[in-house]
Amino acid sequence: MPMTKPRTPGAELPAHPTFLWESPTPKKRYDVVIVGGGGHGLATAHYLVKNHGITDIAVIERGWLAGGNMARNTTIIRSNYLWDQSTALYEYALQLWEGLEDDLEYPILFSQRGVLNLAHTLQEVRDSHRRVEANKLNGVDAEWVDADGVRELCPLVNTSRDIRYPVLGATYQPRAGIAKHDYVAWGFARKASAAGVHLIQDTSVTGFLTTGNRVTGIRTNRSDISAGRVALAAAGLTSTLTDTLGIRVPIQSRPLQALVSELLEPVHPTVVMSNAVHLYVSQAHKGELVMGAGVDSYTGYGQRGAFHIIERQMAAAVELFPVFARAHLLRSWAGTVDVTPDASPIVGPTPYENLFLNCGWGTGGFKATPGLGVAFAHTIATGTPHRLVAPFSLDRFVSGRLVDEHGAAAVAH
Amino acid sequence: MQLIDCPWCGCREEIEFSYGGQAHIPYPDNPAELNDTQWAHYVFFRSNPKGVCAERWVHSAGCRRWFNALRDTCTYHFIETYRIGESPSFTSASLFPVTESQVSVPTEAGDRKTQ
Ligand SMILES: Cc1cc2nc3c(=O)[nH]c(=O)nc-3n(C[C@H](O)[C@H](O)[C@H](O)COP(=O)(O)OP(=O)(O)OC[C@H]3O[C@@H](n4cnc5c(N)ncnc54)[C@H](O)[C@@H]3O)c2cc1C
Ligand SMILES: [Zn+2]
């Protein structure tokens, strides 16, 4: 038998950096204060600098930078949503991803390896065809592939007819893929910090200072900070902040779990997602199989979820990918995701004229990071919602103009 | 796996139950008089507290009856379960965090901006 030299996992990845950003002492006042140093907060800071020339910015993070959902997500990036409003936003983001490494001058390991969204029932087949056609009309690369096509793209998938939920086909978006979430966050943080943005870690925002219908600053566990404008990018913790202002936001914070296997040789060439069996899988650059589950059923801020969710997810994984039965689970974790009634985000103004809201991305906001950054920065800088986020305002729940993406986003990320 | 105490059946495994969201939300007394904002709050807006909250649960793989529970959303610990129509014995100011007066009806300014 020929011997191949064992590959050192991660050998081709860039070395870990030492320091990429400063940790300054907070000033007493900033033009813009962003609450939450996840991907969205950091990207928003970057585009406020880049597109609007605003640099007097603080990003306030209660823990360590990008240690929330940004550090916990399964990094799937795609734009094959159903409705025009969503496709416009996610496709814009995808185009930014395609040039993000150059913009940030930092490796983000964006890998356009394609995403398969499996269909297991006749209804799912019909819905998938409908979504493919809608995507094509919106200029998104999308195609329908049958079970043989699935096997060609990802030979590991069990496409036999005698499994509990046979694979009848899939939608395929070739330009979709994954990126390395930590590097994305670090890339944005590095750029923002170099431009003079203050990234303040270990500081919890506990409330707001207000005068009439203006927010004049934030309270933190360290000291108060005055602000010309305040932008919320606190994901699952958003309602703990808006509650202090009496603003109700229709989000429910749920645990969402994921897990990785030990490091393996490359076996899985693409990204496979299945709504019906609540599973999505890719193989990270270093070699771990990365698998996500469906959301846990109840409100939960504990950053951990129920074991039976993982158990069901593993059952589905082993049936769809029989070879995975040989892999060992290395670790599992959860984030706190902010789900909305229509599975679409909430971005835009609030009853306070200089307070801006960004939340409700639920299980799927990583892919939007650069697009949201541009649109939210525009909204904050000009005081007018960017056209790409205008349909996602809080008042759609009053007007009834919901953007129902349950089919494209409920389990799928 | 955690056990949930169904008020009719006793302690059973969590997988037998389904979650029904925030409890104690009465149907409006005067539905015909509600405006769109008030309807939106009845239909879509629920409190999302970090801490103890009152919730509806159903024993879907058991007696299939609904009941209420007080549960801590940080620890996921069930403090108490009680039947529909009953009141919990545990009380706390944070239990029903959003009162009528806190329900924010977007201001004129807020409304205009988002159009
Ligand atoms: C397991 C899992 C898998 C996922 N998979 C995908 C996927 O494949 N594709 C995809 O597109 N999306 C995915 N998501 C969703 C995605 O991670 C989120 O939608 C996105 O990260 C949210 O934006 P963010 O990065 O800014 O959030 P976060 O990283 O959560 O940032 C919010 C930050 O705000 C901070 N904060 C909160 N409150 C305060 C306060 N009071 N004061 C100071 N700071 C505060 C938090 O500490 C946190 O760092 C997944 C999520 C999870 C949990
Ligand atoms: Zn029962």
Side-chain angles (χ1 to χ4, degrees):
Chain A
M1 223 172 76
M3 291 285 285
T4 47
K5 197 166 166 288
R7 161 181 167 272
T8 312
E12 69 285 5
L13 298 184
H16 263 274
T18 42
F19 287 99
L20 289 174
W21 56 83
E22 308 282 324
S23 287
T25 319
K27 294 195 299 175
K28 290 209 154 41
R29 184 182 191 286
Y30 293 91
D31 180 2
V32 178
V33 167
I34 298 172
V35 184
H40 288 197
L42 294 169
T44 302
H46 169 67
Y47 292 109
L48 277 169
V49 173
K50 185 177 176 210
N51 296 352
H52 304 279
I54 298 173
T55 55
D56 186 21
I57 304 169
V59 179
I60 314 285
E61 169 54 49
R62 68 201 278 271
W64 66 94
L65 216 63
N69 294 333
M70 187 63 176
R72 297 157 198 266
N73 73 80
T74 50
T75 79
I76 300 171
I77 296 165
R78 60 192 179 89
S79 63
N80 55 353
Y81 282 62
L82 178 63
W83 299 106
D84 298 355
Q85 301 94 314
S86 324
T87 315
L89 178 54
Y90 292 111
E91 177 56 29
Y92 176 68
L94 180 50
Q95 287 171 19
L96 289 178
W97 281 109
E98 288 171 333
L100 197 56
E101 207 158 274
D102 292 339
D103 179 14
L104 297 180
E105 299 172 294
Y106 195 75
I108 55 162
L109 277 62
F110 180 45
S111 157
Q112 292 178 291
R113 55 182 67 186
V115 170
L116 286 164
N117 290 82
L118 303 182
H120 302 269
T121 64
L122 280 177
Q123 186 58 49
E124 277 195 303
V125 171
R126 289 186 200 111
D127 292 345
S128 301
H129 279 292
R130 179 185 178 203
R131 201 150 54 233
V132 164
E133 296 308 324
N135 287 163
K136 283 184 186 160
L137 288 172
N138 277 316
V140 169
D141 56 321
E143 55 193 274
W144 166 258
V145 293
D146 62 12
D148 291 336
V150 170
R151 199 170 42 240
E152 240 167 69
L153 287 161
C154 189
L156 287 186
V157 178
N158 181 358
T159 50
S160 69
R161 299 290 300 196
D162 60 352
I163 62 174
R164 176 72 183 82
Y165 297 103
V167 175
L168 303 182
T171 65
Y172 182 53
Q173 183 179 20
R175 284 166 60 245
I178 56 173
K180 197 155 164 57
H181 49 0
D182 291 337
Y183 290 9
V184 174
W186 299 343
F188 277 119
R190 173 179 162 273
K191 266 277 171 187
S193 179
V197 172
H198 280 191
L199 307 177
I200 315 283
Q201 303 182 75
D202 268 323
T203 304
S204 227
V205 176
T206 52
F208 302 90
L209 305 164
T210 62
T211 317
N213 68 343
R214 288 184 65 80
V215 170
T216 55
I218 54 162
R219 320 205 95 137
T220 79
N221 60 340
R222 295 164 88 185
S223 63
D224 294 352
I225 298 174
S226 310
R229 293 165 265 196
V230 176
L232 303 184
L237 287 167
T238 301
S239 64
T240 65
L241 290 161
T242 48
D243 277 354
T244 69
L245 288 168
I247 301 172
R248 292 190 87 191
V249 182
I251 58 173
Q252 294 287 299
S253 297
R254 297 273 166 84
L256 178 64
Q257 306 189 62
L259 55 86
V260 289
S261 73
E262 76 228 277
L263 307 178
L264 301 166
E265 288 294 321
V267 288
H268 183 27
T270 178
V271 181
V272 174
M273 316 180 64
S274 164
N275 271 4
V277 300
H278 287 198
L279 178 76
Y280 39 100
V281 190
S282 68
Q283 187 166 15
H285 297 82
K286 232 190 326 181
E288 311 97 310
L289 294 169
V290 182
M291 295 185 233
V295 280
D296 275 61
S297 71
Y298 48 69
T299 306
Y301 287 92
Q303 289 190 321
R304 66 193 168 82
F307 182 71
H308 67 264
I309 302 278
I310 293 284
E311 203 174 13
R312 284 179 190 167
Q313 175 201 357
M314 286 301 89
V318 169
E319 177 146 281
L320 264 184
F321 299 89
V323 61
F324 288 3
R326 311 270 307 261
H328 295 114
L329 191 153
L330 197 65
R331 66 203 147 81
S332 74
W333 65 88
T336 307
V337 298
D338 38 348
V339 301
T340 61
D342 60 356
S344 283
I346 303 171
V347 187
T350 69
Y352 289 84
E353 64 181 38
N354 58 341
L355 176 75
F356 301 92
L357 188 62
N358 167 55
C359 65
W361 291 91
T363 61
F366 174 71
K367 67 177 68 64
T369 304
L372 176 279
V374 168
F376 200 34
H378 171 101
T379 306
I380 298 161
T382 64
T384 320
H386 186 279
R387 74 185 163 80
L388 289 174
V389 291
F392 299 102
S393 68
L394 180 58
D395 78 351
R396 75 176 183 274
F397 297 97
V398 174
S399 69
R401 285 191 202 97
L402 303 189
V403 186
D404 187 349
E405 286 291 355
H406 280 106
V411 174
H413 300 287
Chain B
M1 183 174 299
Q2 85 165 323
L3 299 178
I4 299 177
D5 190 6
C6 170
W8 285 279
C9 310
C11 285
R12 294 287 190 278
E13 289 191 346
E14 181 184 343
I15 42 166
E16 293 187 13
F17 296 84
S18 308
Y19 180 63
Q22 189 183 356
H24 307 298
I25 300 190
Y27 188 76
D29 286 336
N30 48 350
E33 285 157 36
L34 297 197
N35 62 28
D36 288 352
T37 302
Q38 290 164 322
W39 270 119
H41 282 274
Y42 173 68
V43 176
F44 295 121
F45 290 64
R46 294 292 179 266
S47 69
N48 186 32
K50 198 177 168 202
V52 179
C53 71
E55 302 171 329
R56 296 182 310 163
W57 284 79
V58 59
H59 191 183
S60 21
C63 64
R64 301 180 64 190
R65 280 192 274 194
W66 285 91
F67 60 93
N68 293 323
L70 294 187
R71 194 179 59 93
D72 186 319
T73 61
C74 296
T75 61
Y76 311 162
H77 172 68
F78 280 79
I79 294 158
E80 181 176 353
T81 56
Y82 52 101
R83 295 179 184 192
I84 302 289
E86 291 177 354
S87 301
S89 49
F90 176 94
T91 50
S92 147
S94 69
L95 246 189
F96 305 104
V98 179
T99 61
E100 197 59 37
S101 61
Q102 278 178 289
V103 172
S104 97
V105 176
T107 60
E108 288 273 309
D111 272 348
R112 252 202 316 276
K113 268 238 188 84
T114 54
Q115 273 165 8

